Amino acid sequence: SGGFYALGWAKGINEVVAVIVTSGTAVANLLPAAVEAAQAQVPLLLLTADRPAELRDTGANQTIHQPGIFGCYTRWAKDFPAPSCEYSLMALLGDIDLAVAHSKGQLNFHPGPVHLNFCFRENLAPDGGPVRGAPGKSSQWDKAYVDFRAMHRWASSPEPRSRYIRPEAKLPEGPVLEELVA
């Protein structure tokens, strides 16, 4: 499966590897690879597509309860809302950086899988346009939303948008520590 391919690749290059799947049972098929990655501390990003939250528990096509599907086998997970200009692009980039940091073990010394569940109102299509059954909604991005200086700086840089300081396993010794302990 795609999950085990990504797991093997991540082990081989010793870096975070992403696996992308559609919604429904395709997500459930990633569970064995997620368990292996968690047990072996292999960094893996599980990127899943989903229907929007309002279609959950309605019997809609390709909807199972995806948030939390991997349980304790992920280092971090986030359920993203359907794309809209109301969800800041910079917040999205920050969340993606945070996911990579968790997957690499930069925040807790335990690399492993991270689940990012992305909701979409429309199927992925080459062109934006009106959303079926949702008058006034569009899948077209507002140009002002994605065309600004910080976005261009991020897109042209090899650096992540956010940096995380790894917690120290051992506190440095010295007079400050001795005073705190006393």
Side-chain angles (χ1 to χ4, degrees):
S1 85
F4 281 107
Y5 181 83
L7 177 63
W9 191 10
K11 282 182 173 181
I13 66 171
N14 202 27
E15 273 296 329
V16 178
V17 171
V19 59
I20 303 171
V21 298
T22 58
S23 59
T25 56
V27 179
N29 285 321
L30 293 177
L31 181 60
V35 171
E36 289 241 357
Q39 298 298 92
Q41 296 193 8
V42 176
L44 203 59
L45 290 179
L46 308 169
L47 308 177
T48 59
D50 199 355
R51 303 295 290 149
E54 63 267 17
L55 291 179
R56 291 181 185 150
D57 301 320
T58 64
N61 188 29
Q62 286 290 300
T63 56
I64 65 169
H65 191 78
Q66 293 177 198
I69 195 168
F70 302 110
C72 64
Y73 296 104
T74 56
R75 301 302 188 250
W76 189 70
K78 176 134 184 171
D79 187 34
F80 289 90
S84 79
C85 293
E86 291 140 17
Y87 183 64
S88 160
L89 184 59
M90 297 317 281
L92 172 65
L93 296 177
D95 284 338
I96 291 170
D97 281 347
L98 182 60
V100 171
H102 275 290
S103 186
K104 287 181 169 183
Q106 291 175 334
L107 302 172
N108 63 6
F109 299 103
H110 300 288
V114 166
H115 179 208
L116 301 180
N117 190 56
F118 295 95
C119 294
F120 294 100
R121 286 201 170 78
E122 287 289 327
N123 297 331
L124 299 179
D127 298 315
V131 175
R132 290 174 283 164
K137 296 231 181 223
S138 173
S139 62
Q140 183 69 39
W141 288 102
D142 181 343
K143 187 173 169 87
Y145 183 70
V146 295
D147 191 17
F148 57 96
R149 185 176 306 166
M151 179 62 184
H152 291 286
R153 186 173 43 247
W154 173 82
S156 63
S157 170
E159 297 298 317
R161 181 179 181 284
S162 309
R163 294 194 184 270
Y164 299 95
I165 299 171
R166 184 179 207 136
E168 294 297 324
K170 181 180 174 190
L171 293 172
E173 295 186 25
V176 173
L177 180 61
E178 291 169 10
E179 185 177 325
L180 288 172
V181 173

